[in-house]
Each structure stands twice: as structure tokens, then as C-alpha cells.
């Protein structure tokens, strides 16, 4: 069991570039989440998918899009990166009302 | 607006000390509260507290939920340098949405 995996681990973008962060889980979890973590801000929810085929906005969805490709995979896309999107991004998954399991994170810098 | 507030923001103690971290919440129709430990990378799960499980313990760590005061505490006894981390509290809100609201965390540093 790999748990929750994320790619890439690090990424540097220029303002205006686009990229997709990939997340996959092998625990047969229904719900998947994307968070960003900034110093002093804790974890803020960007988007989540309660089950395959559904996605919903979280606290800070502006500038992002998501795709729940199948039960295992949930991707996060930045269409036109901005310096304000410099952050550490975590993907998480969860089975029903149990705890969330987190991936190792992606450190993104936008210049 | 639903929110979760943790205190203190940071704490420095010496090995062997006992620490108490606080989490207070304002959410509609509370269902569950989670504690996580975050070292250099991803948060790792510590405890889940619910209306039917208001006290949890694992080794030197324990946590209690006070539904009347809308708060929870995380206690760490006989602290070790390996306890140095950010401790995060999260509350499910609203119930049934599968969403969690996280506090900003308490940064604990344990000195040898």
C-alpha cells in the first residue's frame, strides 16, 4: 500500500504558466481533498470530491480547477499561475467518516 | 461562519515537561474533531473525538473533548525532542459534507 501519492514533489513556475498536480490513493477511499498550506495559515481547503463523479469548492478555490478522474485519482490544475499561489499543496483522502490520510505534499513556487 | 482556533500559536518547553494544547471551535451541528501532528512533511493522524468518544489516549498523548465549552485539549506528558512539531486541530463542518476546517496549528518545540 503506497497510501496517498503526489507528483511532482517540487515545481517552479513563471507567472502565467499552467500545471497540473497529480494525486492518487490506493486505499479505496471515497473522498479526496486538495489543501494548500501557507505559513501561519494552517491548512485551507481548495476543492474536494466527496465521491467519484462529484467535486465541490472549498475555502479558497479561485485560480484552481480539479478533476476526479476515477475513484483513485484527483488532480488540481492551475491555469495561469500567480505568485500568490506559491505554497505547499497537500492531497488527502478519506473513507466515510474516518480520518483523512495525507500525501507527502508538493512545494510550488511561482516567480 | 464556522471556525477553529488553536492556542497557543507556539510553545517552547524542556524535555520532561507536560504541555496542554487548546482547540476551540464554532461549528453548526458538531460531528467530529481530529488532532494531527505535522513534522517536516504531511500531517499524521493522532486522535478523532466524537460525541460518543470524548476521550482518547495513546502513550504519553491524550485528548479530551468538552462539548459544553466547544473545545478540546491535547496533553503531552514527559515531552521528548521527537514531540517537536506543529499540532493541528480540525473539525468537520458542516456534518455530512465530508469537509474539515483546520486551525492554524500550535508549533511545539521541545529542547533537550
Amino acid at each position: 500500500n503506497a497510501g496517498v501519492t503526489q507528483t511532482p514533489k517540487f515545481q517552479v513556475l513563471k507567472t502565467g504558466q499552467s500545471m497540473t498536480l497529480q494525486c492518487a490513493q490506493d486505499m479505496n477511499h471515497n473522498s479526496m481533498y486538495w489543501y494548500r498550506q501557507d505559513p501561519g495559515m494552517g491548512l485551507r481547503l481548495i476543492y474536494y470530491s466527496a465521491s467519484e463523479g462529484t467535486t465541490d469548492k472549498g475555502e479558497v478555490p479561485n485560480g484552481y480547477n480539479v478533476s476526479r478522474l476515477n475513484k483513485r485519482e484527483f488532480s488540481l490544475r492551475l491555469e495561469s499561475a500567480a505568485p500568490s499561489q506559491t505554497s505547499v499543496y497537500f492531497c488527502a483522502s478519506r473513507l466515510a467518516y474516518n480520518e483523512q490520510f495525507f500525501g507527502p505534499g508538493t512545494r510550488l513556487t511561482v516567480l | 461562519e464556522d471556525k477553529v482556533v488553536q492556542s497557543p500559536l507556539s510553545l517552547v518547553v524542556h524535555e520532561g515537561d507536560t504541555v496542554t494544547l487548546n482547540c476551540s471551535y464554532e461549528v453548526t451541528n458538531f460531528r467530529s474533531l481530529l488532532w494531527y501532528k505535522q513534522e517536516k512533511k504531511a500531517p499524521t493522524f493522532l486522535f478523532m473525538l466524537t460525541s460518543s468518544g470524548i476521550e482518547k489516549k495513546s502513550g504519553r498523548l491524550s485528548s479530551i473533548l468538552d462539548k459544553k465549552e466547544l473545545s478540546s485539549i491535547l496533553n503531552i506528558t514527559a515531552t521528548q525532542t521527537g514531540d517537536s512539531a506543529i499540532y493541528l486541530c480540525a473539525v468537520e463542518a458542516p456534518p455530512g459534507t465530508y469537509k474539515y476546517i483546520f486551525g492554524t496549528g500550535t508549533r511545539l518545540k521541545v529542547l533537550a
Side-chain angles (χ1 to χ4, degrees):
Chain A
N1 262 1
V4 180
T5 57
Q6 292 183 234
T7 56
K9 287 187 170 52
F10 302 93
Q11 184 71 47
V12 178
L13 294 177
K14 294 181 180 177
T15 297
Q17 288 185 315
S18 62
M19 79 160 295
T20 300
L21 280 64
Q22 306 286 354
C23 174
Q25 52 91 9
D26 62 1
M27 296 176 283
N28 202 32
H29 286 174
N30 297 318
S31 306
M32 297 186 73
Y33 306 79
W34 277 105
Y35 293 92
R36 59 178 289 173
Q37 187 174 36
D38 304 295
M41 299 290 289
L43 285 162
R44 292 185 292 169
L45 182 64
I46 306 171
Y47 271 94
Y48 71 107
S49 172
S51 60
E52 187 179 355
T54 69
T55 60
D56 284 286
K57 295 178 181 179
E59 294 175 74
V60 289
N62 291 345
Y64 305 95
N65 284 302
V66 291
S67 295
R68 182 76 182 264
L69 305 168
N70 47 55
K71 192 170 186 179
R72 289 187 62 247
E73 298 172 287
F74 189 39
S75 62
L76 178 72
R77 182 159 178 85
L78 286 69
E79 291 291 351
S80 179
S84 61
Q85 293 177 305
T86 293
S87 189
V88 180
Y89 291 84
F90 288 102
C91 177
S93 71
R94 178 188 184 199
L95 179 65
Y97 294 112
N98 296 320
E99 71 272 20
Q100 290 183 333
F101 290 84
F102 285 85
T106 295
R107 185 173 294 274
L108 175 67
T109 301
V110 183
L111 302 175
Chain B
E1 184 183 334
D2 297 326
K3 64 179 179 179
V4 176
V5 178
Q6 292 187 245
S7 62
L9 290 179
S10 66
L11 194 55
V12 180
V13 300
H14 289 91
E15 271 193 320
D17 287 349
T18 294
V19 297
T20 299
L21 311 182
N22 298 283
C23 175
S24 63
Y25 58 89
E26 293 179 23
V27 298
T28 306
N29 298 325
F30 171 86
R31 182 194 289 272
S32 62
L33 182 148
L34 277 66
W35 284 98
Y36 283 87
K37 177 182 181 182
Q38 185 177 25
E39 296 176 83
K40 291 194 189 301
K41 294 189 176 179
T44 54
F45 173 73
L46 294 174
F47 300 117
M48 174 184 275
L49 302 165
T50 66
S51 298
S52 58
I54 62 172
E55 189 167 353
K56 295 286 175 73
K57 183 176 172 61
S58 176
R60 297 178 295 103
L61 277 66
S62 63
S63 184
I64 297 174
L65 177 69
D66 186 335
K67 289 195 298 175
K68 186 177 177 183
E69 296 296 326
L70 306 184
S71 65
S72 174
I73 59 170
L74 176 68
N75 277 324
I76 308 175
T77 60
T79 52
Q80 302 170 357
T81 55
D83 295 324
S84 295
I86 297 173
Y87 290 84
L88 296 165
C89 171
V91 175
E92 183 179 3
T97 63
Y98 301 94
K99 292 198 302 184
Y100 276 98
I101 298 174
F102 280 80
T104 54
T106 293
R107 184 180 293 273
L108 173 65
K109 186 170 179 65
V110 181
L111 303 176

